[in-house]
Amino acid sequence: MKIGNLLEQVREKKPLVHHITNYVTVNDCANVTLGIGASPVMADAIEEAADISAISSAVVLNIGTLNERKNQSMIAAGKSANAKGIPVVLDPVGVGASKFRNDTVARLIDEVKLTVLRGNISEIKFMAGLDAETKGVDASESDTVNVDDAGQIAKGLAKKLNCVVVISGATDIVSDGNKIVYIENGHQMLGNLTGTGCMCSSLIGSFCGALPEDSLYATVAAMVCMGTAGEIAYEKVGHLGGGSFHVVLHDAISKMDAETFERRAKFHEAS
Amino acid sequence: MKIGNLLEQVREKKPLVHHITNYVTVNDCANVTLGIGASPVMADAIEEAADISAISSAVVLNIGTLNERKNQSMIAAGKSANAKGIPVVLDPVGVGASKFRNDTVARLIDEVKLTVLRGNISEIKFMAGLDAETKGVDASESDTVNVDDAGQIAKGLAKKLNCVVVISGATDIVSDGNKIVYIENGHQMLGNLTGTGCMCSSLIGSFCGALPEDSLYATVAAMVCMGTAGEIAYEKVGHLGGGSFHVVLHDAISKMDAETFERRAKFHEAS
Amino acid sequence: MKIGNLLEQVREKKPLVHHITNYVTVNDCANVTLGIGASPVMADAIEEAADISAISSAVVLNIGTLNERKNQSMIAAGKSANAKGIPVVLDPVGVGASKFRNDTVARLIDEVKLTVLRGNISEIKFMAGLDAETKGVDASESDTVNVDDAGQIAKGLAKKLNCVVVISGATDIVSDGNKIVYIENGHQMLGNLTGTGCMCSSLIGSFCGALPEDSLYATVAAMVCMGTAGEIAYEKVGHLGGGSFHVVLHDAISKMDAETFERRAKFHEAS
């Protein structure tokens, strides 16, 4: 597989990616979606959520700033996508931090068939039914496990939910329940910028929207894309601080080309 | 008419511009409003929408992330502005993409007298009752028409709604139903950044708030302003990517002066 | 007191700061919270507001884009914080501009014990029961008073509400009802960027979350931090415009170190 080709597919097909997402990082989500070559639409009203999903190529559900009204729209959008065979990405932001988040995610995975689930280690451990000490929306240090254990957690949950599972972290892990892909791209400054997780989910939606038949590698490509952009941003302006890093991260995504992507990608598979 | 003078009027009068707008691009809308010299206020609760409009110099209604609650506030704000003779700008984001958007816009134009309506070609074609293939919130390529036809569409709709109509695109078109103004400023990178349409609507609100007696040229000035800022941003940092372009677009708006504005403006009139 | 030490305390303790805030400036609030070394969580649903506050180290309530649903969540979050002795910061954005804002703030201070109240001179004058001509969310020029009078207004209101009161302006004023601290850091470009007030409130939440036993100097440190970052941003890129200033403001906060902080801080006390 030439991972650079996957990027070219996104730019060529320009998939419409419907987001029901939080208001904290939504602007960044829209801009990375445009930056990678897809087209974002954000529509969370129950009166149109299903209609917009039905004309989209992928649906991204993000519970960052959830409320009962949005939750119903997420279910309606997810079901509408399921009915049409459109990929659905779930970002269970902060699950474990409140009963309301836990109940919302439980309803979502009960009613909607996911294509990809992406979270940090605290969120994915919680989803896997393991002890997790979720502290707000950032991964808790006490939840850190070694990379091999994380791989098995992702694989087990992927098998259980019959979808691709991603654990974002120093090493990103992607599993479809069969293969496990370990991605070594990225930089720790990504963890000091709000929304880099949400932006990963938008990129996953963009790649899956263009490549619905291969959600495992579409997801790997999306994670490599964010990791590589983080490395480029760090190399160029990391010394200046978080504001410049934020700007150049968007530069790097919008200027990403197949050759750079291919050359910088660092991942390997196991099972 | 010296278009540079219009800019000076905004900076001098500092109009308060009430926005009921989407949560995707609202920060950029607030910052361009401040950048051009006006003062933004965002208030969408039904309990205060009419009160805030009544103390403002212009009202901008944007349906990007609409919901039933906000729709009622938009109508209340619009009626309040109408009662006081305050200009009302409508940005019908994504109209045509769902029945809910279509119904919302129909109610708005039924209950509120607009001063300016601004959209992309897909949105304006839909509003004019023509075949349009709205795909999310971006203009659909299949909706592209030649510039003269677009001018006639804008003029016809302006006459019908008795307001100024703007079609944003490679050539921006502004008509009051009598004159048609074609604006050649701008750069295609504006189309790869989320919210540049919304920001145009905020600038239109800012100029109309300062120049309520001349909504046609206030609107032309606003569109020239965004186009010129886009050109400057492209010239300075377009090669770096979308993040830097975004930043320098705000720089250019906040540093815009009457002389640069006058010198760079490229527009001509027809009928 | 070494003010640089307070900064180190934030970076060491990484307090979780729960925000119920507006959707205009929320991304900037999250990023300054991360930049200074704390961890933001934004959760405004009534179903979880109290739960999230209970696991946080500080709560920031901001009425920028209030609505009845959020208002109830703010009260629930504030009460939950009060019950646990967690600091509560209130930013009464635009109070005075509508009856709804006034009523909301009255209910909040009636039901929730505040630790810090931060506003511009128009907002604080209104809260103190003085004549104020609030024009939207920016301070009105006609409300300007001399620095000594402002100090007395802050002190009187602090005594009345039994909390720390901050008036943001060219000179920032902080009083606990006993001491008055005058801070001379800052730059006027901060007033041309949306959200710098909201960001101050996030920094106050971050410092108070790390230093709950000393809300006066925690608040002074937060205001010095924003002022100093504004000076650095102006020195580096002020000539370029508002977009670059915005970026470098975030750089300066994320790169702030105890030595720079200590050296640049300009404040003095009176009573």
Side-chain angles (χ1 to χ4, degrees):
Chain A
M1 187 208 45
K2 292 284 244 180
I3 198 170
N5 293 354
L6 305 190
L7 174 65
E8 287 172 346
Q9 297 277 310
V10 180
R11 299 211 187 275
E12 199 173 294
K13 295 185 184 168
K14 302 185 199 308
L16 182 65
V17 183
H18 179 202
H19 292 68
I20 298 184
T21 190
N22 69 76
Y23 56 78
V24 185
T25 66
V26 60
N27 186 263
D28 282 327
C29 288
N31 274 325
V32 297
T33 304
L34 283 164
I36 203 61
S39 175
V41 58
M42 277 66 181
D44 66 19
I46 187 67
E47 292 89 345
E48 67 171 357
D51 292 349
I52 299 287
S53 281
I55 59 166
S56 300
S57 296
V59 172
V60 177
L61 307 177
N62 174 308
I63 67 163
T65 53
L66 74 178
N67 59 52
E68 187 46 35
R69 182 178 59 73
K70 256 195 211 176
N71 293 353
Q72 290 177 20
S73 298
M74 286 197 276
I75 290 172
K79 284 184 171 179
S80 169
N82 283 171
K84 292 242 177 181
I86 295 163
V88 177
V89 181
L90 174 63
D91 191 331
V93 181
V95 72
S98 78
K99 185 172 183 307
F100 186 49
R101 285 183 193 240
N102 305 350
D103 291 349
T104 297
V105 169
R107 265 164 68 194
L108 272 166
I109 60 174
D110 194 45
E111 302 209 34
V112 177
K113 167 76 186 70
L114 302 183
T115 310
V116 185
L117 172 73
R118 192 213 62 81
N120 61 39
I121 183 66
S122 295
E123 291 156 354
I124 298 298
K125 278 178 82 173
F126 181 87
M127 300 275 306
L130 301 168
D131 275 346
E133 194 211 305
T134 306
K135 186 198 167 195
V137 297
D138 296 317
S140 183
E141 279 174 34
S142 66
D143 288 333
T144 308
V145 296
N146 73 51
V147 161
D148 290 334
D149 288 350
Q152 293 307 318
I153 292 170
K155 184 178 172 181
L157 186 58
K159 204 172 283 185
K160 184 177 155 196
L161 296 178
N162 189 23
C163 72
V164 172
V165 169
V166 184
I167 302 175
S168 295
T171 299
D172 294 318
I173 293 165
V174 182
S175 177
D176 61 358
N178 181 21
K179 293 178 185 170
I180 308 172
V181 183
Y182 297 89
I183 303 167
E184 302 294 347
N185 294 106
H187 188 275
Q188 65 185 19
M189 279 189 83
L190 289 166
N192 292 325
L193 181 67
T194 195
T196 49
C198 306
M199 290 185 241
C200 283
S201 297
S202 292
L203 291 176
I204 293 171
S206 301
F207 277 89
C208 286
L211 301 152
E213 71 291 344
D214 189 0
S215 54
L216 177 66
Y217 287 104
T219 301
V220 169
M223 297 305 294
V224 167
C225 184
M226 179 55 82
T228 301
E231 293 167 9
I232 293 171
Y234 174 73
E235 290 161 14
K236 289 200 177 167
V237 295
H239 60 291
L240 296 177
S244 295
F245 180 80
H246 189 174
V247 171
V248 179
L249 186 70
H250 282 290
D251 281 347
I253 290 169
S254 70
K255 286 288 182 183
M256 191 73 68
D257 59 79
E259 187 276 320
T260 306
F261 198 50
E262 192 78 38
R263 179 169 42 80
R264 279 185 171 265
K266 285 187 286 195
F267 62 95
H268 67 274
E269 290 180 27
S271 61
Chain B
M1 186 209 45
K2 292 284 240 180
I3 197 169
N5 293 355
L6 305 190
L7 173 66
E8 287 171 347
Q9 296 277 311
V10 179
R11 299 210 186 275
E12 199 173 294
K13 295 185 183 168
K14 301 185 200 309
L16 183 64
V17 182
H18 180 200
H19 291 68
I20 299 184
T21 189
N22 69 77
Y23 56 78
V24 185
T25 66
V26 60
N27 187 263
D28 282 325
C29 289
N31 274 325
V32 298
T33 304
L34 282 164
I36 203 63
S39 176
V41 58
M42 275 66 181
D44 65 19
I46 187 68
E47 292 89 346
E48 67 171 356
D51 292 350
I52 298 287
S53 281
I55 60 166
S56 300
S57 296
V59 173
V60 176
L61 307 177
N62 174 309
I63 67 162
T65 53
L66 74 177
N67 58 52
E68 187 47 34
R69 182 178 60 75
K70 256 196 211 176
N71 292 354
Q72 290 177 19
S73 298
M74 286 197 277
I75 290 172
K79 284 184 171 178
S80 169
N82 282 172
K84 292 241 176 181
I86 296 164
V88 177
V89 180
L90 175 63
D91 191 330
V93 181
V95 71
S98 77
K99 184 173 183 307
F100 186 48
R101 287 183 191 241
N102 304 349
D103 291 348
T104 297
V105 169
R107 266 164 67 195
L108 272 165
I109 59 175
D110 193 46
E111 301 208 34
V112 177
K113 167 77 186 71
L114 302 183
T115 310
V116 184
L117 173 73
R118 191 212 62 81
N120 61 40
I121 184 67
S122 295
E123 291 155 354
I124 298 298
K125 279 178 81 173
F126 181 89
M127 301 277 303
L130 301 168
D131 274 344
E133 193 212 308
T134 306
K135 185 197 167 197
V137 297
D138 296 317
S140 183
E141 278 173 34
S142 65
D143 288 332
T144 308
V145 297
N146 75 51
V147 162
D148 290 335
D149 288 350
Q152 293 307 319
I153 292 170
K155 185 178 173 182
L157 186 58
K159 204 171 284 185
K160 185 176 155 197
L161 296 178
N162 190 22
C163 71
V164 171
V165 169
V166 184
I167 303 175
S168 294
T171 299
D172 294 319
I173 294 165
V174 183
S175 177
D176 62 357
N178 181 20
K179 292 177 185 172
I180 308 173
V181 183
Y182 297 89
I183 302 167
E184 302 294 347
N185 293 107
H187 189 273
Q188 65 185 18
M189 278 190 83
L190 289 166
N192 292 326
L193 182 67
T194 195
T196 50
C198 306
M199 291 185 241
C200 282
S201 296
S202 292
L203 291 176
I204 293 170
S206 301
F207 276 89
C208 285
L211 301 152
E213 72 291 345
D214 188 1
S215 54
L216 177 66
Y217 287 104
T219 301
V220 168
M223 296 306 293
V224 166
C225 185
M226 179 55 81
T228 301
E231 292 167 9
I232 293 170
Y234 174 73
E235 290 161 13
K236 288 198 178 168
V237 296
H239 60 292
L240 296 177
S244 295
F245 180 81
H246 189 175
V247 172
V248 179
L249 186 70
H250 283 288
D251 280 347
I253 290 169
S254 70
K255 286 288 183 184
M256 191 72 68
D257 60 78
E259 188 275 321
T260 305
F261 198 51
E262 192 77 38
R263 180 169 42 80
R264 278 185 172 264
K266 284 187 287 194
F267 63 95
H268 67 275
E269 289 181 26
S271 63
Chain C
M1 185 210 46
K2 293 283 243 183
I3 197 169
N5 294 354
L6 305 189
L7 174 65
E8 288 172 346
Q9 297 277 310
V10 180
R11 299 209 187 274
E12 199 174 295
K13 296 185 183 169
K14 302 185 199 308
L16 183 64
V17 183
H18 180 201
H19 290 69
I20 299 185
T21 189
N22 68 76
Y23 56 79
V24 185
T25 67
V26 61
N27 186 263
D28 282 327
C29 289
N31 274 324
V32 298
T33 304
L34 282 164
I36 203 62
S39 176
V41 58
M42 277 66 182
D44 66 19
I46 187 66
E47 291 90 346
E48 67 170 357
D51 292 349
I52 298 287
S53 281
I55 60 166
S56 300
S57 295
V59 173
V60 177
L61 308 176
N62 174 308
I63 67 162
T65 52
L66 73 177
N67 59 54
E68 188 47 34
R69 182 178 59 75
K70 257 196 211 176
N71 293 354
Q72 290 177 19
S73 298
M74 286 197 277
I75 289 172
K79 284 184 170 178
S80 169
N82 283 173
K84 293 240 176 183
I86 296 164
V88 178
V89 181
L90 175 62
D91 191 331
V93 181
V95 73
S98 77
K99 186 174 181 306
F100 186 49
R101 286 182 192 242
N102 305 350
D103 292 348
T104 297
V105 169
R107 266 164 68 194
L108 271 166
I109 60 175
D110 194 44
E111 302 208 34
V112 177
K113 168 77 185 72
L114 302 183
T115 309
V116 184
L117 173 72
R118 192 212 63 80
N120 61 39
I121 183 66
S122 295
E123 291 156 353
I124 298 298
K125 279 178 81 172
F126 181 88
M127 301 275 306
L130 301 168
D131 275 345
E133 194 212 307
T134 305
K135 185 198 167 197
V137 297
D138 296 317
S140 182
E141 278 173 36
S142 65
D143 288 332
T144 307
V145 297
N146 74 51
V147 162
D148 291 335
D149 288 350
Q152 293 307 318
I153 292 170
K155 185 178 172 180
L157 186 58
K159 204 172 284 184
K160 184 176 155 198
L161 296 178
N162 189 23
C163 71
V164 172
V165 170
V166 185
I167 303 175
S168 295
T171 299
D172 294 319
I173 294 165
V174 182
S175 178
D176 60 359
N178 182 20
K179 293 178 186 172
I180 308 172
V181 184
Y182 297 88
I183 303 167
E184 303 293 348
N185 295 105
H187 189 273
Q188 64 185 18
M189 278 190 84
L190 289 166
N192 292 326
L193 181 67
T194 195
T196 50
C198 306
M199 290 184 241
C200 283
S201 296
S202 292
L203 291 176
I204 293 170
S206 301
F207 276 89
C208 285
L211 301 152
E213 72 291 344
D214 189 359
S215 54
L216 178 66
Y217 287 103
T219 301
V220 169
M223 297 306 293
V224 167
C225 184
M226 180 55 83
T228 301
E231 292 167 9
I232 293 170
Y234 174 73
E235 290 161 13
K236 288 198 177 168
V237 296
H239 59 291
L240 296 177
S244 295
F245 180 81
H246 189 175
V247 172
V248 179
L249 187 70
H250 283 288
D251 280 347
I253 290 169
S254 70
K255 287 287 182 184
M256 191 72 69
D257 60 79
E259 187 276 322
T260 306
F261 198 51
E262 192 78 39
R263 179 170 43 80
R264 279 185 171 265
K266 284 187 286 196
F267 62 95
H268 67 274
E269 289 180 27
S271 61

